Amino acid sequence: MPRFASFSSSAASKVPSTPRVLISCTTGVELACVGWSHRAHARPVLPLRGIRVLRLFSLRGHHRHRMSGEEAKLKLKIEQAEAAVARAQKVYEEAEPGSSKDSCLQLLLAEKASLLADKKALEQVREKDLLQQRAAAGKRGRGVTSVDDHYHDQLPHLKKARTDAGTGVEGLDREEIAALINKKLPTASSYSKATAGGWADNRYKTLQPYVNFHRQHTLQDQRTIPVALLDPILAQIAEDCASAAPTQGDCIFTTRVASAMSENFKTEGERTDKFWELLEHENSIKFQRIDFGDAKTDGSLTHPKGGLMVNIEVKNEVGSGGGAIHVQNAVYAAKYAAGQAGVLRQFSTCPTLLIELAGPNMSLSGAVFSNVVVCDQLTPMVSLLWQPHSPLMLQAARCFAAVRLALPRLLAYYDSVQSQALRQQLDFPYPTSFTASDGNGRVHFKYVQQLSCLCFRGSIQPHGQSVFIKFCRSYSTAAHQAMATAGYAPALLGFEQLVQGWWLIVQEFVDAVPWDEMVDKPVEPLKAAVCALHAAGFVHGDLRGCNILVAASAVYLIDFEWAGLVGTATYPYFMNHADIQWPDGAGDGRLVTESHDLWWLRNLI
């Protein structure tokens, strides 16, 4: 029986403002017939004979958002501005290349800037209204949460249940996330500490889903797309740091830096000034300190059009300052992207190269603003000590070579980003095309949904065929194609290697059910699929139920990341041994064998 039942009553219709009558059906002895008032709270109206009347709770104390006249006007203005942006976007896309297209771009940027200003104004009005409501609630003696928490709770009517492309975590779009970061992210030096007031403080739990700064250990973090898949320039930096061949000039410069950084500096400022001097002279650049009101950066390289290309964070020695240097540097990148980047943020992920210097040690990181702010380390801490006979100096030379190569790429990116076709899906990986396996050239696709950290559903443009998109570090395309040809895997539509060793895999999207969810499991087709795999000379290595799809009576093997030829395929490092039981002999870096696949087969059937 439902907790509340409703019925019509002629008596109830005589009571003003009581169009419906509710009966509480809780425990049988305490029932009440109540009317729902236009004042939004319940009160006794028609007590049933012989039954005690209950007063229902008042909704007046519940903190609901009341829209002011000023807010209503701004909402209408925003709707008009969004329509103007859509019109300007269409005109820009249809314009011919040349001065006409440039003019259309300027109009589009102006409309976007106007829309952004209106959204910020609406945010300020809502905050003011919430503060007034809090003050009024305080006068009536009602307890409320802190202003910041109440603000975050109210931030969207705003919190729409959006799952389509272009929205961020928990339904917030990028501008709403930028507003939240501007409001709640504290000073870089404070947030970098793991003590009270730092990134581990419970006060910032509502903020942490939107700022992924190295400390990835939650379920939400596991859905965060790596920086290397969000920006190709930062991915190339990581690759260059690992494998670039330094020039003679890079080696000479590394020698100068090592000699200088091995010295003892009395203050952080002295070390910073020397590091500035070396980098500026070598790369013909000029650093500045950006003032965020509550703190200044140790060194920043900005683009005239509004991009933060490089940011430096310096500690005089390892451990000095009391905070995590990588987190502190990431905070500056987040604050800049959410604040000063302004209109640029509308069509760019605002890629920034971060340089951390702690005494004679340096690391490089990369930061972007996709649907959240993401920052990943691109290198470990590299020694800058003067060690001419150590291979560590070669590692340092590769890092400085990577910086030298990245600067013109970042400059060219920010030079041209406003004149390029606007990138529409900033919260998805940067690849949007692949070379078709059937030889039909480049195929373009659009992301539709993020299924996991590295897996997506997409659609081929322009006809809309659904595809499954996966990014991974290794993949046996040969095994996949062999199984697809035999009818035991979805069609492999295309694949290609990206920067920093990533692979893009695009396959047919099969409307199927995972093996584990099947009641009547097609055992014989599964046996045939595994036999066909081994007959072709391949092993799979991960034949769990989640990697087997069933459509009608057909069985499809998927996820060929660990697959390969018998005798050569190996398991990856950092396997999940905590939650998954593996066959005997299966372990990090060891060979995948046919017996392992057969062990999985026996467990599945």
Side-chain angles (χ1 to χ4, degrees), residues 211-465:
V211 285
N212 286 274
F213 298 163
H214 307 289
R215 308 284 186 157
Q216 300 192 7
H217 58 276
T218 66
L219 290 176
Q220 178 58 53
D221 295 330
Q222 293 171 14
R223 289 184 65 86
T224 302
I225 303 169
V227 163
L229 293 177
L230 293 167
D231 184 80
I233 298 176
L234 299 178
Q236 187 64 57
I237 293 173
E239 183 170 294
D240 290 340
C241 287
S243 58
T247 64
Q248 180 177 325
D250 295 326
C251 293
I252 293 173
F253 177 64
T254 302
T255 299
R256 291 206 305 270
V257 174
S259 178
M261 291 298 104
S262 295
E263 294 290 336
N264 179 44
F265 292 90
K266 293 182 179 179
T267 66
E268 180 181 297
E270 291 180 4
R271 185 178 290 278
T272 302
D273 291 343
K274 186 61 179 179
F275 196 55
W276 270 34
E277 176 190 327
L278 292 164
L279 287 176
E280 288 179 338
H281 182 268
E282 179 69 14
N283 297 286
S284 301
I285 55 177
K286 190 68 177 177
F287 289 109
Q288 60 176 317
R289 295 181 189 273
I290 298 178
D291 189 351
F292 286 95
D294 50 18
K296 290 184 178 181
T297 63
D298 287 338
S300 306
L301 180 63
T302 59
H303 190 276
K305 294 184 179 179
L308 178 61
M309 298 196 299
V310 181
N311 200 72
I312 301 174
E313 179 61 31
V314 180
K315 302 293 183 186
N316 196 27
E317 295 293 343
V318 174
S320 62
I325 188 171
H326 300 95
V327 174
Q328 189 167 344
N329 210 7
V331 169
Y332 285 123
K335 282 179 170 287
Y336 190 94
Q340 287 93 321
V343 176
L344 181 67
R345 186 173 60 245
Q346 301 297 313
F347 46 85
S348 170
T349 55
C350 307
T352 301
L353 169 61
L354 305 179
I355 302 177
E356 296 91 19
L357 180 70
N361 303 279
M362 181 185 74
S363 66
L364 304 181
S365 300
V368 296
F369 188 175
S370 60
N371 62 335
V372 297
V373 178
V374 185
C375 183
D376 290 340
Q377 271 191 260
L378 304 178
T379 73
M381 270 290 183
V382 176
S383 173
L384 297 181
L385 290 172
W386 170 243
Q387 303 175 90
H389 304 296
S390 171
L392 293 177
M393 284 195 69
L394 176 58
Q395 194 174 13
R398 286 195 175 112
C399 290
F400 286 120
V403 173
R404 172 179 58 79
L405 294 169
L407 289 175
R409 293 175 189 144
L410 287 167
L411 181 63
Y413 169 80
Y414 282 111
D415 274 340
S416 62
V417 67
Q418 293 188 19
S419 60
Q420 294 174 345
L422 299 185
R423 181 178 165 192
Q424 299 297 316
Q425 296 186 289
L426 298 173
D427 46 350
F428 288 100
Y430 68 84
T432 55
S433 65
F434 62 93
T435 301
S437 298
D438 58 11
N440 287 330
R442 298 296 293 179
V443 178
H444 295 268
F445 63 86
K446 179 180 179 180
Y447 295 97
V448 174
Q449 181 185 11
Q450 183 177 1
L451 304 175
S452 65
C453 176
L454 300 175
C455 296
F456 306 85
R457 184 171 184 171
S459 64
I460 299 296
Q461 301 299 300
H463 53 77
Q465 175 191 353

